[in-house]
Structures are given as C-alpha cells and as structure tokens.
Amino acid sequence: MSSHPDQSQTGQPGALRQALHRLSVPTLLFGTVVLLASMTLSCVLTPDRFPVQVAGTVLRIGDLAQERRLLLEQQALLIDERREFRRRDDAPTLGMIRRLRRERPAVGTTWQHVLLALAEASAGGTRWSQDGVAYHQGVLQIEGDVRDLGGRSIQALAGIVDILRIVPGVRAVREPTYTTEPDPDGGSRSPATLHLTFDHADT
Amino acid sequence: MRILEQCRAQARSVSLAVMSGTLGFWVGMLFAFVACGIMIAIGRSVAARRDAALTVALELPFLRSSVAVLEAATHAERLFVETSLTSHEELAAAYVLPVGSSASRLVASLDDIADALAQRGVSVRIHRVDSGPASQPNDEGVVTAPITLTISTDDRTAARFLEIVELGSSMLVRDALEPMAERALLSALDASAPGALPAAARFLATDLLDYAAQPDVVEGRMFADVPSDIADRLRALLLRHGLGSVRSALGDIAPMIRATHAWPLPLVRVESFVREGDRLTIVLTAFSRART
C-alpha cells in the first residue's frame, strides 16, 4: 500500500490503474495474437527453409546441410568399402610387392635422366666426357671431366652440378672439388667426381 | 463500526475487481514479451544457420570432389578386385614373388629382354650371371638372394636395361604410376571432366604391356571426353611420374616381350653396379617367398 499513496489516500483506483483497466482487454488480445503468430512462425519458418545465395545460386540452408550429410555418409561408405577390400587380404602377395617396390630407388630411370642431363649440358664449346661410373646403395658416382674451349670449365662444371640437382629422382648432389688445368686441345678442363644421392636411398 | 467494515469490504472488492481488470493488461504484455523473445530467437537461429550454411557451401565443392575421387578410386579397385585380382595375385605369386629361388626365371627373362632389344638394334650382351645363397626369411616370409650380372653395353642402354628390370614387377598401369600421380589424375578429371572418371579407372587397371605397346591409344580412350588442354597437362603428369619410363623403356619391345612370356619379371632391387671397360657388373637383390 505504501507503493500506491494515491490509493491509500483516496481509497479508490487511480487514473493510471483505470487506464490499465481500459487497456487490459485490447492488450490481452494483442499479446495473445502476437504470441500465437510468433509460435506459428517458429513452426513454419524453420531456419532450414531460409535461402542463402552462394556463388550466384540461391539455395536453401536445409538443402545444403542435407547434401553435406549425404556426401559425408557416402564418403564414409566408400572408405569402409576400400578398407574392406584391403582387409579381405585377397592379394597378400600383390600388397607385399607394392610395398617392397615403393621402398627402393628407381635406379634405371634416374640414371637415364642423369645421362640425358649430362648430354644436354654438353653444348656449344662445353663438353662432358665420362671416365667411369659406379652405383652403390643409392649413390651414383660418375668420374669425368668438363672441357671448355673458352677456358671456363669450372663455371661449366658448376652449371652441370646445378642441372643434376633438379634431375627427377636425384635427392642431392655433393659438391665436387673444383680444379682447372689447361686442356691440350685448347681451353681448360676440370676433372671431377660427381656423387649423386637418389631418392629412397638408405644412405 | 459496521458501516466502516462494509466500506472496507466494498473497497476490497472494488480493489480486486480493479486488480482483475489490470491482470488482462499484464498478461497481454507478458504474451507480447514472450512473442518478442520467440521472434528474436528465430532471427538469431536463422542468422546462425546462415553463417553455418555459408561455411558448408564453401566446404561442399571440396567434399564433392573428394567423394568423386574416392568413388573413382574405389570403382577402380572394385573393378580390379572383381575382374582380375585373383589372376594377378596368382601371376604375382608365381612369377613376381615366387616361392623359392627366382634366379632361373630372372635369368631366362633377362635373356629374352636382351634378345628383344637386339631385334631393335640395341645391343646388350649378358656374359655371366651368378646367384648367391638366399637370406633367412624376414617377419613377412620374404627371402632375398644376391644376383650378380655382367653385361656389355653402353651407359644409355644399360640404364634402359635396368629400367626394364625394375619395371618388370609391374603388371598394371597403376603399378608403374606413382601413387600421388594417380590421385592427381583422378582429382583433375573430377574437376574438369567427371564423366571420364570410369575411363580413368579402366586406364589404371590396363595391362602394362598393352599400354607400352600403344600408349597413345590407351590414353586416348581415357581422354576422349576431356578438354584438350587438360588432357595435355595430364599426359605430361603421367609421363613425369612413371609412364614416361614405360614408354621409353618398353615402347618398341612390348609386343616381343609379350610373345616370349617373359613378363612379369621377379621383383628385384638394384644394389650396385660398376663399369670396367665395356662391361658393367650389376648386383641385384632378388626377392622371393620362403617355403612354408
């Protein structure tokens, strides 16, 4: 009562309360209608039905989520199927062969690429000539010399080393000792021993 | 006093009546607030789902691509399993990783290959083959034996000869292709020409000698419906990652090798080689399975 001094003083409802009384029916109707409408909307307008625009295409959120779910299910099924193929172990020998084959360096192919690179390096006044070749446990050792009519055999040798570094199957090329000496046929020559480590080499 | 009591009771009833009159207003307001809350919740939920949907929409193309590649790879595997796994397993068990020593089969096959190369004007002479004792079987039952081979030929031909020896254990195109190249091929086809994925699956399961004999025809079947620029890029990828070696090493001798039944060769690893004059001494490790 202390919060309503006008009522305690007059003993009858105040003007505000009379106004609320007059508004009660319309407000109740309004509140009920709005509540029912919002509840209906929450049922009808679920977020999945809202469209989104992706890359110029309008799609419903629900469709996207459903497609993603289907794709994930399909992916899981395919992975299971592949796993089943492997678990069945119908081909133990083929599996073993595949594993052993992948663990070894491709010596013939890489040597072919190295020979091709060395042949391409012999251009113009530069010539690579080979004295010996040996391969042991992933490392190819080539002995030879570079001759350059212009007297720039060391540069030519450095160029060859750079070319060999990008040959497919070659993991590393050890820097050779760079020396130069006059070539009796003119220009200079740089004898060198090249060590090339192949991919998948043990060393 | 009675009049005062009656007045109080009347005032109380009036007050109750007024209270009940304002109750409708407060209930109406409460409903309106609840309705506002529901509307705000719907709005927030839609906004959240829209953000999530955009993330999903960005993720979907990768997921579609991943599933398509997986589907093609699984299809290739299923095709292989259903049609030729058993026969290839039998071939592999008989010739590539045989029980007992594989030296005699290897020597005979190498001789056939040297003959095939000679018919193409490429000279490889096998002078001597020595095989050493087999090792103890490892945990998987694989035994190894050293085989020393002395041949006379130039470096280019020796490298090709070794390339053939190393390819010898491959029976299908996919065996000669690096795994990353297989994945890259399927991925690229899915992105540019998904209709070609089944053809790619068949391509990967093609017999290696059939491919080596007519590589352009076999590749052409796969790339029939692929845009030419993509096909060229994929051809380059295949050449770089395994099939270039097949073409250069086996291209002109594949029909002759098939006729001699030298293929597939036993699985070997090149351990070492050294040139002395015109002779090249090669040490191979031949793999086989222990007798159980």
Side-chain angles (χ1 to χ4, degrees):
Chain A
M1 286 309 221
S2 60
S3 62
H4 302 288
D6 54 340
Q7 189 184 347
S8 63
Q9 284 166 6
T10 59
Q12 53 184 310
L16 178 63
R17 184 155 293 174
Q18 283 187 356
L20 293 181
H21 176 65
R22 281 193 207 100
L23 285 171
S24 65
V25 174
T27 309
L28 183 63
L29 282 173
F30 171 75
T32 309
V33 168
V34 170
L35 180 64
L36 287 174
S38 64
M39 287 170 78
T40 312
L41 278 177
S42 70
C43 294
V44 175
L45 294 180
T46 55
D48 287 347
R49 295 185 182 178
F50 276 80
V52 284
Q53 190 166 4
V54 182
T57 313
V58 178
L59 298 163
R60 287 193 306 173
I61 297 174
D63 291 346
L64 286 173
Q66 192 184 7
E67 186 180 355
R68 181 174 178 274
R69 188 173 51 76
L70 288 174
L71 283 170
L72 286 173
E73 281 175 11
Q74 196 180 353
Q75 191 180 37
L77 277 174
L78 288 167
I79 288 170
D80 281 351
E81 191 178 353
R82 291 191 78 181
R83 199 175 290 145
E84 184 60 29
F85 281 145
R86 283 160 196 179
R87 197 185 297 133
R88 272 159 60 182
D89 206 17
D90 291 340
T93 315
L94 284 172
M96 207 183 293
I97 290 166
R98 198 171 295 135
R99 205 166 46 254
L100 290 168
R101 196 164 34 211
R102 282 173 190 166
E103 287 169 1
R104 64 179 190 181
V107 181
T109 306
T110 311
W111 191 18
Q112 281 274 24
H113 289 150
V114 169
L115 290 169
L116 201 63
L118 288 172
E120 284 174 0
S122 297
T126 303
R127 190 163 60 86
W128 165 264
S129 59
Q130 185 178 300
D131 298 327
V133 63
Y135 170 85
H136 185 66
Q137 289 189 338
V139 179
L140 182 70
Q141 182 182 312
I142 306 172
E143 288 174 33
D145 60 29
V146 183
R147 292 162 199 263
D148 187 72
L149 291 173
R152 308 172 81 175
S153 56
I154 283 190
Q155 280 190 22
L157 177 59
I160 287 173
V161 171
D162 283 344
I163 288 170
L164 290 176
R165 285 206 169 101
I166 55 169
V167 165
V170 173
R171 192 171 68 201
V173 181
R174 196 200 298 171
E175 285 293 347
T177 304
Y178 292 96
T179 58
T180 184
E181 55 192 58
D183 186 5
D185 298 333
S188 64
R189 66 184 284 268
S190 292
T193 302
L194 304 170
H195 292 87
L196 291 79
T197 307
F198 288 4
D199 286 341
H200 304 292
D202 297 331
T203 50
Chain B
M1 287 297 281
R2 275 185 64 188
I3 296 169
L4 190 63
E5 284 293 322
Q6 282 175 353
C7 285
R8 278 185 182 166
Q10 198 171 354
R12 203 174 292 127
S13 63
V14 168
S15 175
L16 278 172
V18 170
M19 280 296 286
S20 65
T22 58
L23 188 65
F25 174 82
W26 293 118
V27 169
M29 288 300 282
L30 179 67
F31 282 4
F33 277 120
V34 171
C36 283
I38 290 172
M39 295 301 281
I40 289 168
I42 291 173
R44 282 186 180 164
S45 169
V46 168
R49 288 301 298 269
R50 183 170 294 199
D51 289 345
L54 285 173
T55 313
V56 171
L58 290 174
E59 185 193 350
L60 273 181
F62 297 105
L63 195 58
R64 278 190 210 115
S65 168
S66 155
V67 168
V69 170
L70 192 61
E71 199 166 18
T74 310
H75 178 71
E77 211 153 324
R78 193 187 304 124
L79 189 75
F80 177 62
V81 166
E82 286 169 359
T83 57
S84 51
L85 176 69
T86 311
S87 60
H88 278 86
E89 172 70 5
E90 284 169 2
L91 269 178
Y95 299 121
V96 183
L97 203 60
V99 173
S101 172
S102 60
S104 54
R105 162 86 182 164
L106 181 65
V107 172
S109 298
L110 293 180
D111 204 40
D112 286 337
I113 288 165
D115 282 350
L117 287 168
Q119 285 180 48
R120 291 290 174 194
V122 182
S123 170
V124 181
R125 279 193 62 200
I126 299 176
H127 294 284
R128 186 188 170 102
V129 182
D130 294 311
S131 54
S135 68
Q136 288 296 313
N138 68 7
D139 296 343
E140 293 178 311
V142 175
V143 293
T144 57
I147 292 180
T148 307
L149 186 70
T150 306
I151 61 172
S152 61
T153 185
D154 60 279
D155 280 357
R156 291 294 295 273
T157 311
R160 182 180 176 186
F161 189 70
L162 289 182
E163 212 171 4
I164 296 170
V165 168
E166 289 180 321
L167 277 171
S169 57
S170 305
M171 290 183 281
L172 306 175
V173 166
R174 68 187 309 188
D175 296 337
L177 198 59
E178 292 172 23
M180 60 74 59
E182 182 180 332
R183 284 194 297 272
L185 170 76
L186 295 173
S187 251
L189 285 179
D190 171 57
S192 58
L197 283 171
R202 284 193 294 277
F203 169 77
L204 292 170
T206 304
D207 184 279
L208 192 70
L209 288 182
D210 288 347
Y211 171 78
Q214 292 184 307
D216 293 332
V217 174
V218 176
E219 283 178 10
R221 278 187 221 125
M222 173 171 61
F223 292 132
D225 299 324
V226 180
S228 60
D229 55 329
I230 307 279
D232 290 345
R233 192 162 56 77
L234 291 175
R235 277 198 183 93
L237 173 92
L238 297 176
L239 288 178
R240 265 201 317 278
H241 295 284
L243 299 191
S245 302
V246 177
R247 282 173 175 248
S248 62
L250 293 171
D252 54 349
I253 58 168
M256 287 174 267
I257 294 178
R258 183 179 289 293
T260 59
H261 303 289
W263 207 266
L265 273 64
L267 180 68
V268 295
R269 183 174 64 210
V270 179
E271 296 297 343
S272 65
F273 61 78
V274 62
R275 178 170 287 289
E276 289 162 347
D278 70 330
R279 294 200 174 189
L280 191 75
T281 304
I282 305 163
V283 179
L284 306 171
T285 292
F287 295 89
S288 56
R289 284 175 297 138
R291 293 178 197 282
T292 50

